Amino acid sequence: MAILQVQDLAKTYGRADTAVTALGGVSFSVEKGEFVAIVGASGSGKSTLMHLIGGVDRPTAGGVVIDGKPIFDMNESELAIFRRRNIGIVYQFYNLIPTLTAEENIMLPHLLDNRRPDEGKLNDILEATGLTSRRAHLPHELSGGQQQRASIGRALINDPALILADEPTGNLDSKASREIVDLLKLSNKKYGRTLLVITHDEGIALQADRIITIMDGLIVRDEGVRQ
Amino acid sequence: MKLTARLALAQVKAQKNRSLMTILGIGLSSAMLTAVCGFVASAKDAMDAALGTGGNYGVVRMAALGIVGAIFASIIIACAAIVISNSFRVSAGERMRQFGMLKSAGATKKQIAASVMYEGLFLSSLGIPPGIAAGLLAELAGISVANNAFHSLYEGGVFVIDIVFPFSAAAPTFILSIAVSFGTVMLSAWLPARRAAAIAAIDAIRTSDIAMGRRFFPGRAAGGHTAMGAAPPRLMERVFGFEGALAAKFIKRSRRSFRAAVVSLTISIVLIVAAGSFGSMMGELTALMRDDAGAAVSVRYLRSIKVNGENGETIQSLPALPYALAESISEKLREYPDTAIYGGGRVGEGVLPIDESMATDAYKDYLRRQWQGAIEWPDRLDVNISTLDARQYEQICGIAGVPLGSRIFVNYLRLRTDTGYAAAFAPLDAPLGTMALLDHNGEPYSLKIDAAISGSDVPAWLPRVAGYCSVIVPETTADAFTWLADTPDHAGFAAYAEQVMGRLEPGGEMYYGFYTVTDWTAQIAQQNTIFDTIMFFVGGFVGMLALIAVTSVISTVSTNIRSRSREFAVLQSVGMTREGIRRMLNLESAMSSARSLLFGLPIGLTSAYGMYRALDMMGAIAFSVPWAAIACCVLCVFMITWLTMRHTAGRLKGMGAQDG
Ligand SMILES: Nc1ncnc2c1ncn2[C@@H]1O[C@H](COP(=O)(O)OP(=O)(O)OP(=O)(O)O)[C@@H](O)[C@H]1O
Ligand SMILES: [Mg+2]
């Protein structure tokens, strides 16, 4: 069964003569455990698509079904709680809350639920993200790559059905980028997470199972990658 | 601790200076609310003790006191809410990206709102307890001031009961003040909390820096028009150069951020100006009283009527005071040590028909001013016929240079105008010879005048015992007689005078206004006590509200400057000098200060004038612009804004305050 179904999803900003159609009605579905890269020119609507899938924005038309649930049928707080438990989001910048330690930032979805994650799970993720020795540090004491790994750790902590990442390596050097990609791939291969990654980096896109290309708010190509 | 609470606490800690100012504002407002609650409770207890609690009066009294308390409390709450709410608004704006992050990690609206409310909770828990303690101290101080005043007024015979305000810190009052203070803070946090929670996750995520705060807590007047005080950038550029234009643009852009500071400053300015004007009016009224008295003690005899105690009918008029008796009273009163007595009596009144040719230029001038150009020429002048006790009569004859037995005209007038007393002047030209007068019934008679005195020849006491424009005649029976006493021991003399006059009273019968002894020193002291007590409370109230406004100014100005460090860096990188940035900031603080003054001063003056119209029912005092209060406002507003700006800018990196 498809973990994610996107149906005729459209988003228009503004009204009448100043209206910008960021997304012109796209449909696709993603199977559980798939690693999908989304590519396209700047301004083509990639981030818009991701925000809609993550439920942080509302579409002008169309729907998103995650794990069998049409997310836009939920009210705002239901959606917030659903997001907390089922979706992990990683942005390009500013993913961490500066006043919380790396460890706390990773545990954020749990803290919002007012529960502690089990220690084994947390240690696993700290291990995988290479942050065990840095767990008590504040974000400004971490490098850009470490910060980004922490935000991926946060996206993993809740065993979400879906991980969305918007240019997670956008402002990192090639070594740090490779570490991030490795971590994402690990979550995909080892933990079986479904992964949707927006990227400008062809090297990263080619490591995915499938590449969706967007142009002017529409899908122009959707094809598998031969590994 | 819950995550939302921890994040709130982190924010409170991260913005130490602003948090401190908010805590101060919360503390001040809860102190004021506590004091108001305490005063109301104490006044109720005092009244219950003095008047009893029977019947419906207790309820009525409580309602009346409650309304007065509620009026003061709402002024305080309004001011506090404006200031405190602004602080939460700014804080929520700064946390916008954090909220975006939390939202995309699955925080609900409720959790976001709760996090803002927690800030309120932390700041309250730091601000309210010391505030309540300060409020109890203020209540204690206020009560002891009021008790001293009421007690001395009771001792002076102004009040028939000795009202004592008990210190009241009873549990219900205490709980009420905590609840109201806490409610005020929570109310202030609630609006920003709700707004922060309502922002769509996507908008919070997209935020870049403070642009976010601006976008979601925007200035209402984002459009083109220019508010008062914010001069158009073009004009500012012409006058102050590029920095002026930048300053004007910034002021326009951040009008919303400054609004709370401007509004609270404006309220304070209005109150300070009004209070200053109120104080000077009260002072003038007191001075007027002192001026009218002109002596420590006055003793007056009035020809009176004998009244039937049963039906209130006049039985007979009592005789006028024979001159010999008046003279003997003068002598008796003079026996009191170190005391000078000036005695004089009113014999009768006359009307002097006048025409323009008899009037002096000073009198014409006076009338012209009075009638604003169009003189309505009066055809009569009231003249008093007066007598003086022997010693004073001799002195006046000496001044006039005429032998005893002469009739002397006191050519001296001092009139009340709309704007207070006009200076004294001589109304008539050469009023010698025979004066043709009309008596009460309009029958003509004449009086031969031997001499006239005017100007500095007229001793200060003379008009007070004989009236203005009087003809002094030698020893005559008088209807009314006044003795003014200059004495160091006013209280002792007053008691002595009572004794002297009391001997005159025929026993057992009821007399109307036979004599009065007035100790002006005591009266003025009582007046001063009332005045000082009122000013203590007015000053305390206005002063504390002004302090709340000051906390807002400090926190607004410093937050604004700190949030613009990047803007300053950009300006410096394109070649603006530090001096230039400082100049821009100076202009900004001057402009925003000017704005609150521009609103505050006219409103303050208008309310001061309204108060003057209400207070000055007898037309005794002139309206004077409270320059001292205005100068104080202008100076303080500019100083506080400028100092805060300077201090904050000095602490920014690369913006050292070394003077250039
Ligand atoms: N809030 C908004 N209001 C108006 N237009 C918007 C808004 N957000 C995005 N757009 C427009 O929608 C279009 C798609 O934007 P989007 O951010 O999805 O592009 P993108 O593919 O992520 O680009 P990039 O690779 O540069 O991040 C762009 O033309 C953008 O200008
Ligand atoms: Mg994008």
Side-chain angles (χ1 to χ4, degrees):
Chain A
M1 195 196 83
I3 189 98
L4 168 70
Q5 285 169 281
V6 175
Q7 296 154 345
D8 299 322
L9 203 58
K11 176 77 183 180
T12 305
Y13 292 107
R15 260 182 221 112
D17 46 331
T18 57
V20 178
T21 301
L23 216 54
V26 298
S27 302
F28 62 92
S29 63
V30 176
E31 294 303 315
K32 194 167 175 6
E34 237 185 320
F35 174 3
V36 180
I38 297 176
V39 299
S42 178
S44 55
K46 305 181 295 294
S47 295
T48 304
L49 173 64
M50 200 197 81
H51 289 139
L52 290 171
I53 296 172
V56 293
D57 202 0
R58 298 237 164 204
T60 315
V64 171
V65 179
I66 295 174
D67 216 2
K69 289 188 194 67
I71 62 168
F72 298 117
D73 288 356
M74 296 185 238
N75 70 27
E76 214 186 294
S77 62
E78 284 169 346
L79 183 55
I81 293 167
F82 180 83
R83 182 157 66 233
R84 186 189 301 170
R85 303 202 176 137
N86 299 287
I87 308 170
I89 303 180
V90 180
Y91 299 107
Q92 179 177 353
F93 301 108
Y94 194 83
N95 279 295
L96 305 179
I97 291 175
T99 49
L100 298 180
T101 61
E103 178 182 34
E104 288 165 338
N105 266 295
I106 291 174
M107 292 192 303
L108 197 60
H110 285 261
L111 294 173
L112 285 171
D113 256 346
N114 278 321
R115 64 192 163 91
R116 280 200 69 80
D118 72 88
E119 282 297 314
K121 172 97 195 169
L122 178 63
N123 287 336
D124 259 12
I125 286 178
L126 284 169
E127 194 67 43
T129 54
L131 290 172
T132 311
S133 62
R134 298 254 158 195
R135 57 195 297 169
H137 288 233
L138 291 172
H140 70 88
E141 297 163 334
L142 301 175
S143 73
Q146 286 167 333
Q147 287 184 30
Q148 212 51 337
R149 293 207 298 267
S151 54
I152 292 168
R154 179 174 68 211
L156 291 171
I157 189 101
N158 250 345
D159 297 338
L162 195 59
I163 294 173
L164 307 173
D166 190 349
E167 294 180 44
T169 62
N171 62 334
L172 298 178
D173 63 19
S174 57
K175 178 171 170 289
S177 293
R178 214 174 312 118
E179 285 170 359
I180 296 296
V181 175
D182 289 346
L183 183 59
L184 286 170
K185 277 176 76 181
L186 181 79
S187 74
N188 176 244
K189 295 285 167 308
K190 183 174 166 198
Y191 299 104
R193 303 276 164 267
T194 311
L195 208 55
L196 233 74
V197 178
I198 295 174
T199 182
H200 281 295
D201 184 332
E202 200 175 337
I204 294 172
L206 287 171
Q207 299 182 54
D209 303 325
R210 175 179 163 196
I211 299 176
I212 295 178
T213 309
I214 293 188
M215 194 196 258
D216 293 335
L218 294 170
I219 293 178
V220 292
R221 202 183 312 152
D222 182 352
E223 55 191 13
V225 179
R226 205 154 297 156
Q227 295 294 334
Chain B
M1 203 190 284
K2 272 192 189 164
L3 177 74
T4 44
R6 284 186 45 195
L7 291 174
L9 189 59
Q11 169 74 2
V12 167
K13 281 190 192 154
Q15 300 294 335
K16 273 202 194 68
N17 289 324
R18 199 182 49 237
S19 297
L20 195 72
M21 286 301 130
T22 312
I23 289 168
L24 241 132
I26 292 171
L28 281 166
S29 50
S30 46
M32 290 181 81
L33 289 167
T34 307
V36 167
C37 286
F39 288 142
V40 168
S42 170
K44 186 194 173 287
D45 290 351
M47 286 187 172
D48 285 350
L51 308 171
T53 50
N56 288 326
Y57 293 114
V59 178
V60 173
R61 216 143 58 210
M62 195 61 229
L65 282 171
I67 289 169
V68 172
I71 290 172
F72 280 99
S74 8
I75 296 175
I76 299 164
I77 291 173
C79 281
I82 292 172
V83 167
I84 300 170
S85 189
N86 182 57
S87 168
F88 288 118
R89 194 178 62 79
V90 172
S91 183
E94 287 171 352
R95 295 177 67 190
M96 204 48 64
R97 284 214 287 199
Q98 186 188 91
F99 294 155
M101 223 43 251
L102 287 171
K103 280 189 173 194
S104 57
T108 58
K109 270 183 167 188
K110 245 170 138 180
Q111 285 175 313
I112 301 291
S115 196
V116 176
M117 296 304 277
Y118 270 119
E119 273 183 55
L121 193 69
F122 290 129
L123 294 176
S124 300
S125 65
L126 290 170
I128 290 179
I132 300 250
L136 291 177
L137 282 181
E139 188 195 337
L140 206 60
I143 279 173
S144 69
V145 167
N147 278 337
N148 281 339
F150 277 72
H151 188 67
S152 74
L153 292 176
Y154 165 72
E155 287 197 321
V158 178
F159 290 156
V160 283
I161 35 176
D162 190 10
I163 296 177
V164 176
F165 295 97
F167 178 69
S168 166
T173 323
F174 201 66
I175 290 168
L176 182 69
S177 23
I178 294 178
V180 174
S181 306
F182 188 65
T184 305
V185 179
M186 285 300 145
L187 176 86
S188 307
W190 184 70
L191 253 183
R194 217 184 51 157
R195 218 182 279 192
I199 289 166
I202 179 72
D203 294 320
I205 293 159
R206 280 233 191 82
T207 180
S208 59
D209 274 327
I210 43 163
M212 192 61 202
R214 251 179 230 134
R215 200 164 140 209
F216 286 95
F217 297 98
R220 199 169 287 164
H225 88 100
T226 308
M228 266 210 270
R234 191 86 51 79
L235 177 71
M236 290 296 292
E237 177 155 22
R238 191 142 347 126
V239 181
F240 295 107
F242 179 56
E243 290 94 345
L246 278 181
K249 278 205 180 104
F250 172 76
I251 294 281
K252 216 168 151 184
R253 180 155 56 94
S254 61
R255 197 167 307 151
R256 176 71 202 242
S257 325
F258 275 96
R259 187 179 298 159
V262 169
V263 168
S264 58
L265 262 189
T266 302
I267 293 173
S268 309
I269 291 166
V270 169
L271 289 174
I272 290 171
V273 170
S277 161
F278 176 71
S280 68
M281 272 187 267
M282 295 271 287
E284 248 178 273
L285 280 173
T286 319
L288 203 63
M289 202 171 136
R290 199 174 301 147
D291 194 48
D292 266 353
V297 181
S298 69
V299 181
R300 288 176 70 80
Y301 167 87
L302 274 173
R303 176 185 182 174
S304 42
I305 43 172
K306 190 173 161 193
V307 175
N308 182 329
E310 308 223 308
N311 56 17
E313 269 177 19
T314 306
I315 299 169
Q316 64 168 118
S317 279
L318 282 175
L321 191 68
Y323 189 76
L325 182 53
E327 191 55 32
S328 80
I329 293 173
S330 299
E331 288 312 318
K332 274 257 170 49
L333 293 174
R334 280 194 185 104
E335 280 169 20
Y336 200 77
D338 301 327
T339 300
I341 300 290
Y342 308 98
R346 213 178 58 223
V347 175
E349 284 158 357
V351 173
L352 178 65
I354 53 172
D355 61 54
E356 215 175 323
S357 69
M358 297 167 73
T360 56
D361 286 346
Y363 191 31
K364 285 180 191 163
D365 253 10
Y366 162 79
L367 288 170
R368 213 167 280 133
R369 238 179 303 140
Q370 187 81 330
W371 296 98
Q372 283 167 356
I375 300 183
E376 212 163 283
W377 188 253
D379 57 358
R380 42 183 284 171
L381 185 68
D382 293 324
V383 176
N384 293 302
I385 317 293
S386 304
T387 191
L388 299 176
D389 71 22
R391 213 182 276 194
Q392 262 61 56
Y393 179 60
E394 217 171 294
Q395 186 193 343
I396 297 300
C397 286
I399 291 172
V402 286
L404 292 179
S406 302
R407 290 166 174 163
I408 301 158
F409 182 64
V410 183
N411 194 10
Y412 185 87
L413 191 57
R414 190 164 168 251
L415 291 168
R416 239 162 223 182
T417 67
D418 275 357
T419 53
Y421 275 116
F425 55 85
L428 299 186
D429 248 344
L432 294 183
T434 303
M435 195 178 261
L437 295 171
L438 304 172
D439 70 7
H440 294 303
N441 306 318
E443 296 295 323
Y445 71 104
S446 64
L447 209 58
K448 189 172 165 294
I449 307 293
D450 301 308
I453 57 172
S454 61
S456 57
D457 283 346
V458 180
W461 54 266
L462 185 56
R464 294 199 174 93
V465 298
Y468 296 111
C469 289
S470 51
V471 181
I472 308 294
V473 297
E475 30 188 279
T476 315
T477 297
D479 286 337
F481 214 95
T482 305
W483 293 269
L484 297 178
D486 254 343
T487 175
D489 176 20
H490 51 92
F493 179 80
Y496 174 71
E498 288 274 357
Q499 239 178 34
V500 171
M501 298 306 283
R503 244 176 259 149
L504 290 175
E505 191 164 344
E509 276 161 297
M510 185 173 161
Y511 289 92
Y512 246 20
F514 189 55
Y515 71 86
T516 50
V517 176
T518 314
D519 180 351
W520 291 101
T521 316
Q523 291 257 302
I524 287 163
Q526 281 161 1
Q527 197 75 14
N528 281 341
T529 306
I530 297 174
F531 172 70
D532 291 347
T533 310
I534 292 175
M535 287 319 285
F536 174 83
F537 285 99
V538 169
F541 185 75
V542 172
M544 280 171 93
L545 275 185
L547 277 182
I548 293 180
V550 169
T551 65
S552 172
V553 172
I554 294 178
S555 112
T556 306
V557 171
S558 59
T559 299
N560 260 286
I561 289 180
R562 228 170 298 130
S563 72
R564 287 160 68 206
S565 52
R566 200 171 299 170
E567 177 183 331
F568 298 148
V570 171
L571 286 172
Q572 282 187 328
S573 76
V574 298
M576 194 165 177
T577 58
R578 264 191 224 155
E579 196 42 54
I581 289 178
R582 257 208 300 277
R583 231 155 68 88
M584 178 180 86
L585 289 176
N586 283 343
L587 279 169
E588 275 175 29
S589 53
M591 281 163 74
S592 38
S593 306
R595 196 136 51 104
S596 57
L597 290 168
L598 226 70
F599 290 119
L601 291 180
I603 301 173
L605 279 173
T606 310
S607 42
Y609 189 73
M611 221 160 41
Y612 160 72
R613 297 303 297 209
L615 265 180
D616 186 42
M617 282 174 293
M618 58 279 213
I621 51 169
F623 178 70
S624 57
V625 178
W627 290 115
I630 291 177
C632 162
C633 286
V634 172
L635 204 73
C636 291
V637 166
F638 278 104
M639 280 313 278
I640 291 164
T641 322
W642 184 78
L643 280 177
T644 313
M645 185 279 296
R646 198 63 192 262
H647 178 75
T648 321
R651 292 174 94 192
L652 281 182
K653 270 195 212 104
M655 274 292 299
Q658 57 267 51
D659 287 49

